[in-house]
Amino acid sequence: MISKRRKRIGVLTGGGDCPGLNAVIRAIVKTAINIYDYEVMGFLDGYMGLVYNRFTKLSLEDVSGLLDKGGTILGTTDSFDPFNMMVDVNGEKQKKDMSRHIVDNLNMHNIEGLIVIGGINTISTAYKFTQLGIKIIAIPKNIDNDIPGTDSSFGFYSALNTATKALDKLHSTAESHHRVMILEVMGRRAGWVALQAGIAGGADIILIPEIPYDINSVIRKILDRKKSGKNFSIICVSEGCRPKNDAIEDAGEEKGALNTLSNSISAKIAGEIEAITDLETRVTILGYLQRGGDPSVYDRILTTRLGVEAVNMAAQGNYNKMAGITNNQLSPVDLSEVAYKCKNVPVEGELVKIARNMGVGFGD
Ligand code: F6P
């Protein structure tokens, strides 16, 4: 009796890491093996693992105890494009399209479908692979929450917890020293982290990319607080925010480790506040603390939901979609509706309005 070959699915994690990656890998593997008797191949370090054929067969043992572990056991690469891979040819850097090689590797392994866990860049690359006949299911991941087609990407609420706790801590030192404290948070081209952490952390001013700021408006807010007896102010700044008169950077511009204290937008803002008001102003760049550590309770449930859903979609042959959540209901979205897009903060939306109701200034 020839035993029926088990269906095989592939998994990879791409782009910046965040809490919850291991939790979603765990949900995928447990569902694939326990419910569908699939084999699961984990490709290492994102699309690079597909290029170099670096993989590991994932077992229930491999994912045991992963639910609360930060990072990704598969590894990841940020800003790696397999369609434009930089290779060294006779000492000269050249771009090479490795997509056909990846398709061959996937076919060699008899991979029925590939689950891609990533942010916009990773998902957009996955969409390109669907046009080469690869069957894809995407899971929205990143702390920025800038992925359309889902209420939130996983990792976002974990980052919010970290940023909110940081703002809580800054209140006591700001008040003790009568200072202006700036917390710079991540978010790339969208201001979701700054907006929601700012609301949760009681910031007095929130600066986001969607609302270019006027430094004079920021200073007026600080001085009004001082007149009312508040000798300190807390400003939550999104790394992508820009002053009104500044050339708008390319929305796709990669941020990243470039944000050091010296060249950050927060350093610029702090310098202007001190120069104009003579008030002591200090900057904290939260940076990669928002990307590390264990997932929040919300993200543990969200990743489990999305991981199970992704495998169910594979079993139903419901490919070339992203497993999304809309109004807290699982709802798959065509990759064509997600790729190359960015979900920005609606400036007339409810969250901006309630922040203004709380007296928050947006620098406008
Ligand atoms: O997309 C997640 C993110 O953390 C952004 O918020 C941030 O701008 C970027 O990644 C940092 O990229 P890298 O990890 O390449 O420095």
Side-chain angles (χ1 to χ4, degrees), residues 15 25 39 51 60 100 150 193 237 308 323 325 342 351 362:
I25 293 168
E39 286 184 353
V51 171
L60 293 173
R100 295 305 322 175
T150 186
V193 178
V237 169
V308 170
I325 305 250
C342 177
L351 287 174
F362 283 88

Side-chain angles (χ1 to χ4, degrees), residues 52 80-81 84-88 93-96 98:
Y52 294 112
F80 171 72
D81 178 0
N84 292 291
M85 183 174 161
M86 295 307 286
V87 295
D88 199 70
K93 286 278 182 216
Q94 287 181 10
K95 283 186 179 178
K96 194 170 177 201
M98 298 302 289

Side-chain angles (χ1 to χ4, degrees), residues 7 230 245 283:
K7 196 169 169 182
K230 296 286 185 187
N245 55 1
V283 175

Side-chain angles (χ1 to χ4, degrees), residues 80-121:
F80 171 72
D81 178 0
F83 288 83
N84 292 291
M85 183 174 161
M86 295 307 286
V87 295
D88 199 70
V89 178
N90 306 325
E92 199 185 305
K93 286 278 182 216
Q94 287 181 10
K95 283 186 179 178
K96 194 170 177 201
D97 178 357
M98 298 302 289
S99 58
R100 295 305 322 175
H101 179 66
I102 285 178
V103 170
D104 294 345
N105 274 341
L106 289 169
N107 292 335
M108 175 185 68
H109 289 296
N110 294 311
I111 297 279
E112 155 96 10
L114 183 65
I115 298 178
V116 171
I117 305 163
I120 279 296
N121 293 339

Side-chain angles (χ1 to χ4, degrees), residues 212-262:
Y213 68 86
D214 172 352
I215 193 65
N216 297 308
S217 167
V218 172
I219 286 167
R220 261 195 307 279
K221 180 74 189 172
I222 294 168
L223 296 178
D224 286 350
R225 280 180 51 82
K226 197 167 169 53
K227 272 185 221 134
S228 70
K230 296 286 185 187
N231 284 324
F232 71 97
S233 286
I234 304 288
I235 307 178
C236 190
V237 169
S238 181
E239 63 179 342
C241 78
R242 288 293 174 271
K244 275 191 174 128
N245 55 1
D246 193 6
I248 301 295
E249 274 181 10
D250 165 19
E253 178 171 326
E254 287 306 306
K255 298 299 303 167
L258 297 178
N259 275 12
T260 55
L261 192 52
S262 57

Side-chain angles (χ1 to χ4, degrees), residues 15-18 78-79 119 141-144 146 185-189 193 239 253-259 287-288 290-291:
D17 72 322
C18 71
D78 212 349
S79 61
K141 168 269 338 165
N142 76 13
I143 67 167
D144 310 323
D146 60 357
V185 296
M186 286 182 160
R188 214 190 315 242
R189 302 154 296 194
V193 178
E239 63 179 342
E253 178 171 326
E254 287 306 306
K255 298 299 303 167
L258 297 178
N259 275 12
Y288 294 85
Q290 299 158 96
R291 294 256 295 264

Side-chain angles (χ1 to χ4, degrees), residues 115-362:
I115 298 178
V116 171
I117 305 163
I120 279 296
N121 293 339
T122 303
I123 292 175
S124 302
T125 299
Y127 177 60
K128 286 171 77 172
F129 276 112
T130 64
Q131 290 154 352
L132 298 177
I134 300 296
K135 294 191 276 188
I136 295 277
I137 287 163
I139 296 181
K141 168 269 338 165
N142 76 13
I143 67 167
D144 310 323
N145 194 31
D146 60 357
I147 302 171
T150 186
D151 293 346
S152 68
S153 47
F154 76 79
F156 172 60
Y157 282 99
S158 299
L160 276 194
N161 286 351
T162 302
T164 302
K165 286 276 173 280
L167 286 168
D168 288 349
K169 290 175 185 290
L170 288 176
H171 269 83
S172 55
T173 180
E175 193 157 11
S176 307
H177 286 266
H178 320 306
R179 280 173 168 164
V180 178
M181 282 291 178
I182 297 176
L183 177 74
E184 180 173 316
V185 296
M186 286 182 160
R188 214 190 315 242
R189 302 154 296 194
W192 294 103
V193 178
L195 175 60
Q196 295 189 226
I199 292 170
D204 304 301
I205 297 167
I206 299 173
L207 302 181
I208 58 177
E210 295 84 352
I211 304 177
Y213 68 86
D214 172 352
I215 193 65
N216 297 308
S217 167
V218 172
I219 286 167
R220 261 195 307 279
K221 180 74 189 172
I222 294 168
L223 296 178
D224 286 350
R225 280 180 51 82
K226 197 167 169 53
K227 272 185 221 134
S228 70
K230 296 286 185 187
N231 284 324
F232 71 97
S233 286
I234 304 288
I235 307 178
C236 190
V237 169
S238 181
E239 63 179 342
C241 78
R242 288 293 174 271
K244 275 191 174 128
N245 55 1
D246 193 6
I248 301 295
E249 274 181 10
D250 165 19
E253 178 171 326
E254 287 306 306
K255 298 299 303 167
L258 297 178
N259 275 12
T260 55
L261 192 52
S262 57
N263 78 342
S264 70
I265 188 70
S266 300
K268 171 183 168 66
I269 293 167
E272 290 169 338
I273 292 171
E274 282 200 326
I276 296 171
T277 68
D278 207 24
L279 292 173
E280 280 194 334
T281 304
R282 296 292 182 269
V283 175
T284 301
I285 295 185
L286 200 50
Y288 294 85
L289 288 172
Q290 299 158 96
R291 294 256 295 264
D294 62 316
S296 66
V297 167
Y298 183 87
D299 273 338
R300 295 181 196 196
I301 294 167
L302 178 58
T303 48
T304 303
R305 291 179 73 186
L306 292 174
V308 170
E309 173 68 358
V311 180
N312 288 342
M313 287 164 67
Q316 296 149 13
N318 192 12
Y319 284 110
N320 300 343
K321 292 190 172 71
M322 178 180 81
I325 305 250
T326 301
N327 301 326
N328 201 31
Q329 297 299 312
L330 287 166
S331 50
V333 181
D334 284 345
L335 288 181
S336 58
E337 298 300 310
V338 179
Y340 312 110
K341 294 183 173 68
C342 177
K343 181 180 72 181
N344 280 102
V345 171
V347 296
E348 300 301 330
E350 186 229 346
L351 287 174
V352 172
K353 282 186 182 146
I354 66 169
R356 292 189 194 278
N357 290 354
M358 295 300 107
V360 172
F362 283 88

